[in-house]
Amino acid sequence: MKKKNEAEQLPELPCRCDVRPGDGETVREIVAATGYFTPSEVDVAVELVQENLAKGAAASGYHFVFAEHGGKTIAYLCYGPIPCTVSSHNLYWIAVHPDFQGKGLGKALMREAEKLIRDAGGTRIYIDTSYKAQYEDTRAFYLSLGYELDALLRDFYSPGDDKVIYRKLL
Ligand SMILES: CC(C)(COP(=O)(O)OP(=O)(O)OC[C@H]1O[C@@H](n2cnc3c(N)ncnc32)[C@H](O)[C@@H]1OP(=O)(O)O)[C@@H](O)C(=O)NCCC(=O)NCCS
């Protein structure tokens, strides 16, 4: 994640929640460009878009918020209610194109998703991520937004790669 530079702050960006046919490839481009995800993880990110397009947000359980700049989608987030819970939601994915990181865009997307989740009756948000050093900035990002460490699952992803779960009460 790039260090934030106040002079580079983006103006308020238009957000949209509707998912369009080209969004699978847009998501692939953004997620791959971050360099944080393996090719199979990139495929999973795209599959969530395809599920939404095939079944709709409610039936698929995958809701999206996209941020646009200069007519191009540059960041997105995917969340959804967790089946068999009363009002818990999961943040499945968030990615900001590297050219636009550190300018407040991730924070704006998270705030928008929290508002949408609250409006839908959600009361808790959970986020899974890796405890690897590569994700230190990502964890700092979640902590800065009021998410708290709720659990650590040792060697979850692979030996030496723990999973951490963050939680926020709305
Ligand atoms: C993680 C990610 C979504 C954050 O989005 P972003 O637009 O870069 O972050 P923002 O500019 O909105 O930063 C919001 C807050 O995070 C914190 N933060 C940002 N950059 C940071 C850094 N380099 N180090 C520590 N904290 C940082 C700051 O507290 C910042 O709040 P402030 O601006 O009020 O000080 C984005 O960097 C990204 O796509 N990373 C790669 C993919 C990834 O890790 N996705 C999540 C996988 S689980």
Side-chain angles (χ1 to χ4, degrees):
M1 201 189 303
K2 284 179 189 165
K3 279 277 172 227
K4 185 172 157 181
N5 174 351
E6 291 298 333
E8 287 179 357
Q9 287 305 286
L10 290 168
E12 189 127 316
L13 292 175
C15 279
R16 65 175 167 94
C17 295
D18 63 306
V19 183
R20 300 171 185 165
D23 285 334
E25 279 319 297
T26 304
V27 159
R28 181 181 298 284
E29 223 178 283
I30 297 170
V31 170
T34 66
Y36 273 67
F37 304 102
T38 63
S40 58
E41 287 171 331
V42 175
D43 286 343
V44 172
V46 175
E47 277 167 27
L48 305 191
V49 178
Q50 287 162 346
E51 279 280 300
N52 173 298
L53 285 168
K55 300 179 183 167
S60 68
Y62 300 123
H63 300 251
F64 288 82
V65 185
F66 296 95
E68 319 246 300
H69 179 63
K72 210 168 146 42
T73 303
I74 55 168
Y76 87 104
L77 168 158
C78 175
Y79 70 90
I82 303 175
C84 306
T85 68
V86 172
S87 54
S88 296
H89 283 61
N90 217 330
L91 179 87
Y92 292 113
W93 227 288
I94 178 166
V96 174
H97 190 284
D99 293 348
F100 297 92
Q101 288 177 8
K103 302 174 195 289
L105 199 45
K107 186 175 175 175
L109 281 175
M110 292 290 283
R111 294 286 186 237
E112 183 64 20
E114 288 170 6
K115 180 182 172 300
L116 291 165
I117 291 170
R118 202 179 293 115
D119 289 351
T123 57
R124 312 167 82 86
I125 301 180
Y126 289 91
I127 304 175
D128 299 358
T129 194
S130 164
Y131 203 61
K132 277 197 294 198
Q134 184 192 4
Y135 285 89
E136 203 176 316
D137 285 352
T138 305
R139 295 194 300 273
F141 168 72
Y142 295 136
L143 289 171
S144 79
L145 295 176
Y147 287 78
E148 291 177 294
L149 184 63
D150 204 32
L152 185 146
L153 283 64
R154 293 193 188 283
D155 301 322
F156 181 87
Y157 295 110
S158 63
D161 187 359
D162 304 337
K163 166 160 132 173
V164 277
I165 302 175
Y166 289 92
R167 179 206 63 190
K168 184 171 185 174
L169 306 184
L170 296 178

